[in-house]
Amino acid sequence: MEREYTEQNIQILEGLEAVRKRPGMYIGSTDELGLHHLIWEMVDNAVDEALNGYGKKITVTLEKDGSCTVADEGRGMPSGMHASGMNTLQVIFTVLHAGGKFTSEGGYKTAGGLHGVGASVVNALSEWLTVESAYGGEIVRMEFTDGGSKASQPKIIGATRKTGTTVRFKPDASIFKTVNFNYETICDRMREEAFLLSGITIIVNDKRKEKEASETYFFSDGMMAFIDYLNEGKSVLSKPVKISGDYEGIHVDVAFQFTGDGNYSESIYSFVNLVRTRDGGTHESGFKGAFTAAFNEYARKIGKLKAKEKLDGSDVREGLTAVLSLTVPENILQFEGQTKGKLGTPQGKPAVDNVISEKLAAWLEENREQSDALIDRMLLARQAREAGKKAREEVRKGKKSARQERVLSDKLSPANSKDSSIKELFLVEGDSAGGSAKQGRDSRFQAILPLRGKVLNTEKCTMRDIEKNEELNTLIYTIGAGVGSDFDYSDSHYNKIIIMTDADDDGSHIQILLLTFFYRYMRPLLEHGMVYIALPPLYKVSKGKTVEYCYDDEELAQARKRLGKATISRYKGLGEMSAQQLWETTMNPASRTLLKVGIEDGMKAERRVAVLMGDKAELRRKWIEENVSFTLEDSFKVE
Ligand code: TSJ
């Protein structure tokens, strides 16, 4: 029995309509991100219930018909009359900002905090939505259609001894650019929530395919499990450590572990009330300050650091993987920045500082053997940093070592300009293509470095192996900005580093090996968008004096249509192109196409690089089996 709302509810309809008119205001966007917000909204409500102590299991199901079901085992939602004369379920799902939150008196309070745009927003953006609430012995069902503008009467559909809430909704295809939920995205997010919510089970089902998929996430000690997950496939220098405590109403959980061999970067993942704080904030600075201070104090105490010496934060955090999770009361919760990814709450800093200072010193004392080994590593990091700084200063003063000069003069065809802000370095596969590139380039600002043979897989080796490898050594010298923890992108001799390989399997393999090296040892280059992949054409189409280059099959088909009968040649490699052709199609800034390489998501990229390029074959096999559909390239975002 559907009915439209009466006149007195005209405000509700206007509210729902406002959401449909400007969905971006409520869920950020109508692309894939915005679409998934609908699920996060429902899950947040179920998680809140679990955090209040009701229900330990949450299930998310992607149904065959394109809808999504979110179910919990909480108290269920009361369906009696609300003060407004409407049924409470109707209030929750149609009144803007009503959220899913009730007071025990039967009224509702508006959902505060960062997330929680409310169930009514999800309803407004859905073709249909159903809710089934098992509460007080009966299951009550209510159905909404057309963005919440039509509602059924609540109906008792059965009796039960259980309690819980099940909401199923189908996103409105006329509002979203895509209504295709991404199973992997949902699994990633639910796994993360399960890590942060020890003891709660989250199940994700995908029933859309012939072969249904399902993942269950449950961690009795989520912080430790999170660290294990992040460091999977990497060698480690310490046991994972967990520190928890409370300070002035803020709960702080920290877990960390140091990775070894070849892992120079630090990875800190921080969360506040389950929301990722990508841009850090007061809690992260509290963590960094207290962490650095504790290790400095310990190093001094055991006599490895003289009174005037100190370890920098970057020395202390070399190879560190850490997860930081805070629970901050809503009334002092403050997020900052354009994407609200930064904690602004001032109390965040002293809270983390106090919890860490109090407990880290004790851990260091109790685990002397490990602590001493960590200090040794930090001292090495400091040494490398200082040596690197000195070397760079000398290079700047023009005191390049004879060895460096010799290595470079041998291979590099340098650019004439001294202005690094306009210079480009082409890394070219093979000597013959290197020759064409050298002839074809604009030598005023373009330098060519040919790479011979395969590049070392840097995920599988130590810093020492890299130093011994001629190819990478030359690359490091050529870029001239150091390597690993000593790398400083602002010292780079080039503004763009362009990987130019054949468009075949070998070529993509070389790309991946180089990107892996940049990711591990010169990450700021990727973070600052300084690494590119050149896109050579696949075909040359000529007819009379007209010559066109095509970069994929689609373009080829179009060119054929346009030109009629024409001669088509397929380039098998860069070497087949003349210097002139290479310049025109691939190197000339006015006519070339470059792909800019960035990092899609730190956490994802980190794990994929470690697992796919690392030395644990078993892990790799399992990973590939479970994830046949994506490749390492997915970790590097290409613009
Ligand atoms: F968002 C939503 F409303 F659609 C929604 C709410 C979706 C999902 C999947 C779950 C929920 C939800 C709400 N699960 N559990 C609750 N519980 C309450 O809202 C509730 C129930 C009883 C009482 C009480 O004081 O008796 C209080 C609350 C907050």
Side-chain angles (χ1 to χ4, degrees):
M1 253 312 262
E2 281 181 3
R3 65 187 176 92
E4 301 207 24
Y5 296 179
T6 55
E7 268 169 71
Q8 69 182 62
N9 291 331
I10 211 90
Q11 273 187 346
I12 290 175
L13 288 174
E14 281 173 354
L16 294 168
E17 193 49 37
V19 178
R20 293 173 62 81
K21 263 204 186 116
R22 290 208 168 73
M25 297 255 298
Y26 299 85
I27 53 162
S29 64
T30 56
D31 55 12
E32 207 177 302
L33 269 178
L35 177 75
H36 287 83
H37 261 296
L38 305 183
I39 299 184
W40 313 150
E41 177 58 32
M42 290 296 113
V43 171
D44 280 353
N45 279 281
V47 164
D48 271 356
E49 185 74 357
L51 285 174
N52 283 325
Y54 304 100
K56 284 190 177 302
K57 191 169 98 189
I58 296 167
T59 311
V60 179
T61 305
L62 302 176
E63 311 281 2
K64 260 197 153 59
D65 61 5
S67 67
C68 172
T69 305
V70 180
D72 69 30
E73 299 182 347
R75 289 166 290 181
M77 292 197 282
S79 60
M81 274 302 173
H82 178 252
S84 65
M86 270 197 294
N87 175 288
T88 40
L89 285 177
Q90 190 163 355
V91 173
I92 294 169
F93 285 95
T94 62
V95 178
L96 280 196
H97 305 305
K101 313 252 192 294
F102 279 89
T103 60
S104 43
E105 292 78 45
Y108 65 86
K109 62 171 190 182
T110 50
L114 177 82
H115 42 251
V117 289
S120 59
V121 169
V122 177
N123 197 11
L125 301 175
S126 296
E127 229 171 78
W128 52 259
L129 179 149
T130 63
V131 51
E132 290 182 11
S133 164
Y135 184 91
E138 48 193 34
I139 306 173
V140 173
R141 177 179 169 95
M142 203 165 168
E143 300 174 1
F144 301 86
T145 47
D146 294 350
S149 64
K150 296 197 182 92
S152 74
Q153 291 292 354
K155 194 172 143 196
I156 299 169
I157 58 163
T160 181
R161 262 197 280 261
K162 294 189 187 145
T163 62
T165 304
T166 302
V167 178
R168 179 168 172 178
F169 62 96
K170 184 158 198 274
D172 192 331
S174 71
I175 286 179
F176 290 95
K177 295 196 184 98
T178 169
V179 285
N180 197 2
F181 289 120
N182 185 327
Y183 179 62
E184 204 201 331
T185 302
I186 296 161
C187 285
D188 285 347
R189 170 97 172 210
M190 293 304 108
R191 184 191 304 106
E192 195 171 290
E193 297 214 344
F195 281 139
L196 301 171
L197 293 164
S198 298
I200 289 170
T201 303
I202 307 184
I203 301 170
V204 187
N205 301 309
D206 190 350
K207 297 193 168 172
R208 297 170 302 178
K209 285 179 238 119
E210 193 92 357
K211 195 170 174 289
E212 293 183 11
S214 180
E215 293 290 332
T216 300
Y217 302 111
F218 167 84
F219 306 103
S220 54
D221 188 344
M223 292 296 282
M224 294 298 230
F226 205 159
I227 292 289
D228 282 344
Y229 173 79
L230 292 168
N231 283 344
E232 188 176 8
K234 294 183 187 169
S235 70
V236 294
L237 287 187
S238 65
K239 289 183 295 192
V241 183
K242 192 175 72 170
I243 293 174
S244 299
D246 292 272
Y247 185 80
E248 296 189 349
I250 295 176
H251 181 74
V252 179
D253 285 311
V254 178
F256 69 87
Q257 182 176 39
F258 282 90
T259 58
D261 279 3
N263 296 291
Y264 295 92
S265 48
E266 58 177 86
S267 310
I268 302 177
Y269 301 101
S270 65
F271 301 83
V272 174
N273 297 3
L274 300 182
V275 177
R276 173 91 179 265
T277 37
R278 282 175 191 280
D279 306 318
T282 55
H283 55 331
E284 268 192 32
S285 49
F287 169 76
K288 287 179 178 171
F291 207 74
T292 307
F295 277 100
N296 266 291
E297 195 175 312
Y298 180 78
R300 221 160 261 136
K301 198 161 173 180
I302 60 170
K304 293 208 174 185
L305 210 56
K306 297 198 195 83
K308 276 196 182 146
E309 294 173 329
K310 75 177 185 49
L311 294 164
D312 267 13
S314 67
D315 304 332
V316 172
R317 294 192 299 275
E318 187 175 287
L320 175 71
T321 302
V323 176
L324 179 56
S325 174
L326 266 71
T327 313
V328 176
E330 299 266 335
N331 61 320
I332 58 165
L333 193 57
Q334 233 173 280
F335 289 102
E336 291 177 345
Q338 213 161 35
T339 51
K340 301 281 171 217
K342 188 173 177 186
L343 181 68
T345 307
Q347 295 92 322
K349 190 178 161 89
V352 182
D353 190 326
N354 275 281
V355 171
I356 295 278
S357 316
E358 196 175 297
K359 304 201 171 150
L360 183 53
W363 183 88
L364 291 170
E365 292 291 346
E366 284 160 21
N367 298 274
R368 298 207 64 137
E369 208 173 309
Q370 279 187 60
S371 306
D372 291 10
L374 291 178
I375 296 293
D376 287 343
R377 192 248 175 98
M378 293 168 189
L379 289 167
L380 272 177
R382 188 181 65 136
Q383 211 177 2
R385 177 172 55 81
E386 284 171 351
K389 193 172 152 207
K390 208 170 138 213
R392 278 201 310 281
E393 273 163 7
E394 277 178 12
V395 168
R396 251 194 299 258
K397 281 188 230 134
K399 280 196 272 174
K400 254 193 232 166
S401 78
R403 174 156 170 258
Q404 238 168 297
E405 291 277 19
R406 183 160 37 75
V407 170
L408 290 188
S409 64
D410 222 25
K411 298 176 180 147
L412 176 76
S413 306
N416 301 331
S417 171
K418 292 261 175 285
D419 181 0
S420 61
S421 75
I422 60 160
K423 281 203 294 182
E424 302 179 342
L425 176 66
F426 282 83
L427 305 177
V428 186
E429 174 183 2
D431 274 335
S432 76
S436 299
K438 188 178 166 182
Q439 277 174 29
R441 70 185 168 141
D442 183 335
S443 61
R444 285 175 301 180
F445 68 99
Q446 293 180 324
I448 309 293
L449 184 66
L451 301 168
R452 291 174 195 135
K454 281 270 142 115
V455 177
L456 192 67
N457 181 352
T458 47
E459 194 61 17
K460 288 190 192 170
C461 61
T462 64
M463 191 66 166
R464 206 147 287 135
D465 296 325
I466 289 171
E467 277 162 7
K468 277 189 298 192
N469 180 273
E470 223 182 272
E471 222 67 55
L472 290 177
N473 229 319
T474 310
L475 183 56
I476 295 164
Y477 282 146
T478 306
I479 293 172
V483 63
S485 60
D486 158 54
F487 184 79
D488 182 348
Y489 82 97
S490 63
D491 285 341
S492 171
H493 295 171
Y494 301 90
N495 181 44
K496 286 192 172 70
I497 295 175
I498 303 169
I499 303 171
M500 188 161 76
T501 69
D502 294 341
D504 58 12
D505 282 353
D506 264 359
S508 12
H509 193 207
I510 291 173
Q511 287 173 14
I512 289 298
L513 291 167
L514 282 170
L515 290 176
T516 300
F517 172 71
F518 288 136
Y519 182 77
R520 280 284 173 238
Y521 293 92
M522 299 186 177
R523 190 171 309 173
L525 284 184
L526 292 166
E527 289 165 348
H528 290 86
M530 294 164 75
V531 179
Y532 296 80
I533 293 171
L535 216 58
L538 289 181
Y539 305 100
K540 176 181 167 186
V541 185
S542 38
K543 187 182 183 184
K545 279 205 174 129
T546 325
V547 178
E548 287 194 24
Y549 298 99
C550 302
Y551 294 82
D552 57 34
D553 290 341
E554 170 76 15
E555 279 185 15
L556 177 65
Q558 279 172 6
R560 272 177 145 156
K561 231 189 246 163
R562 217 168 331 107
L563 297 175
K565 212 169 131 51
T567 314
I568 295 161
S569 50
R570 191 193 153 91
Y571 291 117
K572 288 198 200 66
L574 297 169
E576 287 182 11
M577 263 183 269
S578 70
Q580 179 58 24
Q581 284 171 335
L582 195 58
W583 162 254
E584 258 173 56
T585 60
T586 317
M587 299 178 75
N588 180 357
S591 51
R592 72 189 178 193
T593 312
L594 294 183
L595 302 176
K596 189 197 260 184
V597 184
I599 303 170
E600 175 204 48
D601 170 317
M603 197 187 307
K604 240 186 203 166
E606 189 61 42
R607 273 179 48 82
R608 282 192 192 159
V609 173
V611 174
L612 284 176
M613 305 301 283
D615 56 6
K616 299 194 175 150
E618 173 61 16
L619 266 183
R620 182 160 46 244
R621 194 184 51 74
K622 202 172 130 241
W623 181 280
I624 290 168
E625 256 171 31
E626 286 169 7
N627 303 281
V628 279
S629 64
F630 66 76
T631 61
L632 185 66
E633 273 115 327
D634 294 342
S635 300
F636 297 106
K637 177 184 70 193
V638 167
E639 284 164 10

